[in-house]
Amino acid sequence: MLVDNRYSRQILFDPIGEKGQECIQNSHVLIIGVGALGSSSSEMLVRAGVGTITLMDRDYVEESNLQRQQLFTEADVENKTPKVIAAKNRLQKINSQTKIDAQLTDAGVEELEAIVPDVDVVIDATDNFDTRLIINDVCQKYHTPWIYGACVASYGVTFTVLPDETPCLQCIMDHIPSDGATCDTVGIISPTVQKVVAHQVTEVLKLLTGNTEALSGKLVAFDLWKNQQMELEVASLKDDSCPSCVKKIYPNLDYQSQLKTAVLCGRNTVQIRAGKHRNFHFDDFKMHLKQTNLINYLENPYLISFEINEFRVVVFHDGRTLIHGTKNIQEAKKIYYRFVG
């Protein structure tokens, strides 16, 4: 049953109307990552009346999150509240009619294969390409649309992937600018987040209401600070030999392609290796680290070493990384994705 007053302005928008609003309220959206993109998109979709939202994230709230991750408070920082829990608490106060499923977990192959077949659309709000490539292959396997999104500094990019129709992320990887920059190395301004989210959520609403003819169909990229925007027609980029969307091999679901972690015996250290298909650009990585105010930075022909809080990070030329100061794999992966992956 529609709550006309609550959603009246959305229902008045002709492409949605009452029929579209009913579709929205009967839908299930999976949001992977509840940081800047995930917290903003989840709030928009809860306010829009999405029936069920599953949130998936492994992290807890930190002080540096508050500048751009709008669902969280200083109390969440003080309590080290997991992001999915803090987000659920806030979202349920905004709309008690939406069912929020908070999953405090890594978005790995097993976790995604258990839920993606049951959702209508997936929003990528992650911080690394390892997870995005897994999302890509799981969504291809189960024919689930998903919206890629990323942002750093004043730059953002987004693209809607429709299995069996558009190129997939694997097809367009070479056309996505990637120089190794992360929010921890070059920072980010919050308007960048909101512009990416506006595009992602709009595409979700189009999909949920059956307005597929209105989908962008383009890779959208922008730099707010430089007043630049680019839209790339991607239909011609579909790779006839793509293992993910054409050959249906799904290479990123293979164990050898996934990030490998190991706790080193007796050393209070976690070792991390990227999957076999990932290329590590050591020179780009080194360039961005030099722009960051890191403690005890050291480099030689074989490796780079630096400290972040109580951890020492050592990155070898091939991308193999040691996180000293912890045996917690999730904690080590968090540091890895912030600075290396």
Side-chain angles (χ1 to χ4, degrees):
M1 178 179 177
L2 299 182
V3 184
D4 289 349
N5 188 54
R6 179 168 200 146
Y7 305 112
S8 60
R9 303 306 187 271
Q10 191 162 274
I11 291 170
L12 284 171
F13 181 62
D14 190 58
I16 293 181
E18 289 194 9
K19 184 178 179 181
Q21 187 62 41
E22 187 173 358
C23 290
I24 290 171
Q25 290 177 242
N26 290 327
S27 66
H28 185 177
V29 177
L30 169 62
I31 300 175
I32 304 173
V34 191
L37 295 176
S39 59
S40 294
S41 59
S42 63
E43 180 174 345
M44 283 192 189
L45 291 172
V46 160
R47 292 186 184 277
V50 168
T52 303
I53 293 179
T54 296
L55 304 174
M56 188 176 286
D57 194 292
R58 64 178 180 270
D59 205 358
Y60 59 87
V61 182
E62 297 180 273
E63 187 176 25
S64 63
N65 300 150
L66 299 181
Q67 169 254 350
R68 65 198 179 281
Q69 298 181 20
Q70 64 190 45
L71 292 179
F72 309 134
T73 67
E74 292 177 351
D76 294 322
V77 175
E78 184 178 348
N79 297 325
K80 295 192 183 314
T81 309
K83 290 184 177 180
V84 291
I85 303 303
K88 178 177 180 176
N89 292 341
R90 173 61 178 156
L91 293 170
Q92 294 285 219
K93 292 177 182 178
I94 293 171
N95 191 344
S96 61
Q97 298 164 20
T98 296
K99 178 184 176 182
I100 308 292
D101 177 20
Q103 296 195 11
L104 179 58
T105 183
D106 234 348
V109 174
E110 184 177 346
E111 292 78 9
L112 291 180
E113 289 213 80
I115 187 171
V116 167
D118 299 325
V119 305
D120 297 294
V121 62
V122 176
I123 293 181
D124 160 38
T126 63
D127 59 1
N128 67 88
F129 272 97
D130 291 301
T131 304
R132 289 186 180 112
L133 289 170
I134 292 173
I135 294 170
N136 184 71
D137 279 12
V138 173
C139 287
Q140 291 296 322
K141 183 176 180 179
Y142 295 103
H143 307 282
T144 304
W146 70 283
I147 295 96
Y148 158 68
C151 53
V152 66
S154 56
Y155 173 82
V157 60
T158 177
F159 172 62
T160 299
V161 181
L162 301 178
D164 300 321
E165 295 183 39
T166 69
C168 72
L169 183 63
Q170 192 82 51
C171 293
I172 66 172
M173 282 286 288
D174 291 341
H175 302 274
I176 299 175
S178 179
D179 57 6
T182 72
C183 295
D184 287 278
T185 59
V186 300
I188 186 168
I189 56 173
S190 59
T192 309
V193 175
Q194 299 307 318
K195 188 172 176 67
V196 173
V197 169
H199 180 88
Q200 288 186 295
V201 172
T202 303
E203 294 284 279
V204 169
L205 293 176
K206 292 173 185 176
L207 286 165
L208 297 182
T209 58
N211 288 284
T212 54
E213 74 287 346
L215 290 168
S216 166
K218 299 174 182 177
L219 176 73
V220 177
F222 62 86
D223 191 316
L224 285 176
W225 203 260
K226 296 179 181 178
N227 304 303
Q228 297 173 345
Q229 177 149 331
M230 178 270 289
E231 294 186 358
L232 176 65
E233 293 281 0
V234 296
S236 63
L237 301 180
K238 192 172 181 69
D239 183 357
D240 291 338
S241 62
C242 177
S244 295
C245 66
V246 175
K247 293 187 176 181
K248 308 293 186 182
I249 299 173
Y250 315 122
N252 298 292
L253 306 186
D254 178 68
Y255 174 77
Q256 294 302 321
S257 297
Q258 298 167 31
L259 197 73
K260 307 296 187 303
T261 59
V263 179
L264 301 188
C265 183
R267 294 184 59 186
N268 196 31
T269 297
V270 175
Q271 176 177 271
I272 300 178
R273 292 179 180 269
K276 65 180 181 179
H277 297 302
R278 293 298 308 279
N279 294 319
F280 181 70
H281 302 288
F282 188 80
D283 291 337
D284 290 339
F285 170 68
K286 181 168 65 175
M287 179 183 69
H288 283 290
L289 274 189
K290 286 184 175 179
Q291 300 173 15
T292 308
N293 187 23
L294 295 171
I295 299 173
N296 293 331
Y297 177 89
L298 177 149
E299 67 174 83
N300 62 36
Y302 313 102
L303 57 82
I304 285 175
S305 173
F306 60 91
E307 294 180 12
I308 178 69
N309 299 326
E310 69 269 31
F311 308 104
R312 182 162 60 90
V313 182
V314 178
V315 184
F316 294 89
H317 211 275
D318 62 355
R320 182 171 62 90
T321 301
L322 301 178
I323 312 292
H324 297 283
T326 184
K327 295 180 181 178
N328 186 312
I329 289 176
Q330 296 303 324
E331 190 170 45
K333 288 172 72 173
K334 176 181 173 181
I335 296 167
Y336 177 83
Y337 284 131
R338 286 173 61 183
F339 292 94
V340 186

